[in-house]
Amino acid sequence: MSALPKEVKIVEVGPRDGLQNEPEQIPTELKLAFIGRLAESGLREIEATSFVHPKAIPQLADAVDVAGKLPPAEGVTYSALVPNQKGLDRALASGIRRIAVFTAASDSFTQKNINMTVDESLATFAPVVKAALAAGLSVRGYVSTSFVCPYEGDISKDRVLGVSTQLLDMGIDEVAVSDTIGAAAPTDVFETVGHLLKSIPPGKLALHLHDTYGTALANVLAGLQLGITTFDSSAGGLGGCPYAPGAAGNLATEDLVYMLERMG
Ligand code: COA
Ligand code: ZN
């Protein structure tokens, strides 16, 4: 265990991945209070909202309002999802400084989620990422369904590598390799993330895990053993994706923090 990383970065995704899945509309002020308390708890990177179509995710229709009123907190980076140019326009109007583009390793998922094939999504992102970087924003990229797709089943590690490489070539600083439906086991992490690490440095990869079958912390340990130092989690384990049947809660931030602190 001595070879494990000494420090990790946690990306708190509760206000986005968590709240996008809540059945009820949560008032903007309550979201901002939640985000403020996450920042006070010591979290340093918080995904605050999502500039997607309000009909696709009505829970986050107040994205410009939320992003425009984020509680100032020393050393905290806020980010938000952006699916296209319209999303970037809204992000820029809100003043947020970090965005995340999101595609997947399977066409059937991106078709349902963002109404594009994977290739179409990459073609859509290229100018968006360029414009965001030119405006001084930083950009992360998600590759959803990196292990298992709810429509296509097991996903090839070469497919994940191909999409990740194309995103990194656009100039994004981090790929979130995502177990969207929480179906991966540690063997999948070793296999797929191990494959990515043959050509991508560990500092450019994050693991985004859901805990559908209780495998998320085991997958974190596999990631740590591979040298991964960035993990996404959601306070209280809130979360899921309305376009991914079977997607249960995210890895809970408090469980992740407990395990990592206990491990030193
Ligand atoms: N924000 C707000 N409105 C948007 C938008 C955005 N990011 N992108 C497009 N629109 C509007 C367009 O202006 C257009 O409006 P109009 O009909 O009044 O002219 C309309 O939506 C259709 O635009 P189009 O580009 O054809 O989008 P689409 O219908 O193919 O939807 C997405 C594509 C990506 C916008 C939509 O599927 C989406 O928001 N998906 C997000 C799903 C998600 O967040 N999943 C969970 C996260 S993993
Ligand atoms: Zn997720």
Side-chain angles (χ1 to χ4, degrees):
M1 285 289 169
S2 58
L4 292 181
K6 290 279 169 278
E7 208 171 303
V8 304
K9 180 175 92 177
I10 293 178
V11 179
E12 167 64 43
V13 297
R16 195 279 304 173
D17 213 354
L19 299 189
Q20 78 178 10
N21 208 43
E22 285 300 293
E24 280 165 38
Q25 204 68 33
I26 297 180
T28 306
E29 292 309 317
L30 197 52
K31 290 178 182 171
L32 289 166
F34 177 43
I35 293 166
R37 292 178 72 177
L38 290 169
E40 276 170 32
S41 79
L43 290 158
R44 286 292 160 262
E45 189 161 333
I46 302 174
E47 194 172 77
T49 186
S50 183
F51 295 103
V52 293
H53 197 295
K55 280 197 192 122
I57 308 280
Q59 294 91 331
L60 304 181
D62 59 355
V64 174
D65 219 19
V66 167
K69 291 183 188 160
L70 288 167
E74 188 67 30
V76 174
T77 301
Y78 293 115
S79 64
L81 293 196
V82 162
N84 53 19
Q85 183 60 48
K86 172 95 187 192
L88 178 61
D89 294 342
R90 294 171 66 210
L92 289 170
S94 78
I96 203 148
R97 305 297 300 155
R98 182 165 175 76
I99 61 161
V101 293
F102 58 106
T103 183
S106 54
D107 285 317
S108 14
F109 182 74
T110 52
Q111 287 284 12
K112 291 209 168 53
N113 197 37
I114 51 177
N115 197 25
M116 304 175 216
T117 63
V118 173
D119 284 347
E120 284 166 353
S121 74
L122 293 168
T124 301
F125 298 159
V128 170
V129 170
K130 196 172 174 195
L133 294 173
L137 273 59
S138 65
V139 186
R140 128 187 271 232
Y142 282 92
V143 181
S144 292
T145 63
S146 279
F147 304 98
V148 181
C149 168
Y151 311 106
E152 292 178 28
D154 288 347
I155 295 298
S156 121
K157 58 189 176 184
D158 277 319
R159 177 75 161 143
V160 183
L161 176 62
V163 178
S164 302
T165 305
Q166 288 187 74
L167 284 170
L168 287 166
D169 287 347
M170 291 177 198
I172 69 161
D173 55 58
E174 182 175 277
V175 171
V177 180
S178 303
D179 184 16
T180 309
I181 59 167
T187 39
D188 297 300
V189 175
F190 285 125
E191 187 75 15
T192 297
V193 179
H195 186 59
L196 301 182
L197 287 168
K198 289 178 200 156
S199 47
I200 302 172
K204 292 213 179 268
L205 296 177
L207 266 177
H208 177 99
L209 301 166
H210 285 248
D211 205 21
T212 314
Y213 298 101
T215 56
L217 279 178
N219 291 339
V220 169
L221 181 57
L224 289 170
Q225 288 176 319
L226 288 168
I228 300 299
T229 55
T230 300
F231 298 92
D232 293 5
S233 63
S234 169
L238 293 176
C241 171
Y243 298 95
N250 288 62
L251 165 59
T253 306
E254 60 276 20
D255 293 347
L256 176 63
V257 169
Y258 173 80
M259 186 182 88
L260 293 174
E261 289 194 337
R262 179 78 190 168
M263 290 171 73

